[in-house]
Amino acid sequence: MRRVLILGGTSEGRALAESLDMEPGLDVVSSLAGRVADPRLPVGAVRIGGFGGAGGLADWLRENDVDAVVDATHPFASRITTNAIAAARDAGVPLLVLRRPEWVPGVGDRWHAVPDLGAAATAASALGRRVLLTIGRQGVDAFAEGSAWFLIRAIDPPTVAVPPRSEVLLARGPFTVDDEIATMRQHRIDVLVTKNSGGALTAAKLEAARTLGLPVVMVSRPGIPASVAVTSDIEQARTWAARAD
């Protein structure tokens, strides 16, 4: 049996696990970081929790005779990706990064691209007084000194410092454009802050902001080394995982 490890937690990881589950001769394990209290589980075998850094992951790959690794984690899970690259290299296991395409601005969009959350906090304070913050629960503390009012939307409650003037809205997408417009109007939002995660599940907020003429502070993705194989195509990832050596 050929063994494939999927570092998952995304819709792409679940789709890949489902696709590979139908491949004969494959033993597929999906690994989730365990940061979400009630995650959507992929089909097949699942392990939840960290590996103990790059060294721990490299040991796990060796001990479990893994033949290929697909990093299908969130585009902003940069620490996991960095560890996966180092571990695969150390263990001599082929690695492919599966990433959904980035969002790109269209006609009518008022995007302000920033490199990180610190820059996002500065830009948001300059652009509006009531901010819809959709970056997940991690990193919210970058906005803790902000003077604006924040609607913090996340799946689970933040465990770090939050802005003094804020409200937490626990919700899991996907959301429709009408849903997003209603939320923005109800809370009198005048600026949206988000990460360039890409994908269709959470893109409705961008169309809603465009419709309402609101500025969007868009945090750019961390880069991936040019030497690492990357694809956005699940079928290509399926073929690679079944045959890479």
Side-chain angles (χ1 to χ4, degrees):
M1 293 288 287
R2 176 178 174 78
R3 183 163 292 164
V4 178
L5 174 67
I6 300 174
L7 302 175
T10 60
S11 58
E12 292 77 20
R14 291 189 294 274
L16 179 60
E18 183 175 3
S19 177
L20 290 175
D21 189 58
M22 298 180 289
E23 285 280 339
L26 285 186
D27 177 18
V28 180
V29 178
S30 294
S31 177
L32 310 184
R35 293 175 179 170
V36 176
D38 184 24
R40 291 171 175 159
L41 297 179
V43 299
V46 178
R47 70 172 301 279
I48 296 179
F51 292 91
L57 176 54
D59 289 341
W60 196 93
L61 296 177
R62 295 188 192 96
E63 292 165 4
N64 290 273
D65 297 321
V66 173
D67 296 290
V69 179
V70 179
D71 173 11
T73 56
H74 191 276
F76 282 82
S78 57
R79 180 177 299 178
I80 298 176
T81 297
T82 298
N83 287 343
I85 293 170
R89 181 177 59 245
D90 186 21
V93 177
L95 169 75
L96 176 70
V97 175
L98 174 60
R99 287 287 185 273
R100 68 189 73 151
E102 292 184 317
W103 291 318
V104 294
V107 176
D109 283 327
R110 299 170 56 198
W111 288 14
H112 300 261
V114 294
D116 52 42
L117 292 177
T122 300
S125 296
L127 289 168
R129 303 302 301 168
R130 297 183 67 83
V131 181
L132 174 55
L133 190 59
T134 62
I135 62 167
R137 65 173 179 166
Q138 298 184 59
V140 172
D141 52 341
F143 301 81
E145 302 300 322
S147 59
W149 181 88
F150 291 84
L151 179 63
I152 303 167
R153 187 169 70 193
I155 297 175
D156 295 317
T159 55
V160 296
V162 301
R165 300 176 62 237
S166 61
E167 175 183 334
V168 175
L169 174 62
L170 298 182
R172 188 199 295 266
F175 307 100
T176 67
V177 176
D178 287 344
D179 290 337
E180 298 290 47
I181 289 175
T183 296
M184 293 175 185
R185 283 177 171 164
Q186 177 186 349
H187 296 279
R188 307 193 310 280
I189 299 300
D190 54 16
V191 59
L192 167 67
V193 177
T194 192
K195 296 176 177 178
N196 197 334
S197 302
L201 290 180
T202 58
K205 60 190 171 187
L206 303 177
E207 185 173 343
R210 183 189 311 125
T211 299
L212 297 174
L214 303 183
V216 177
V217 178
M218 183 67 71
V219 182
S220 300
R221 291 182 181 185
I224 298 174
S227 58
V228 176
V230 182
T231 185
S232 61
D233 186 272
I234 291 172
E235 177 60 23
Q236 187 176 61
R238 183 196 65 79
T239 301
W240 181 93
R243 301 174 184 172
D245 52 41

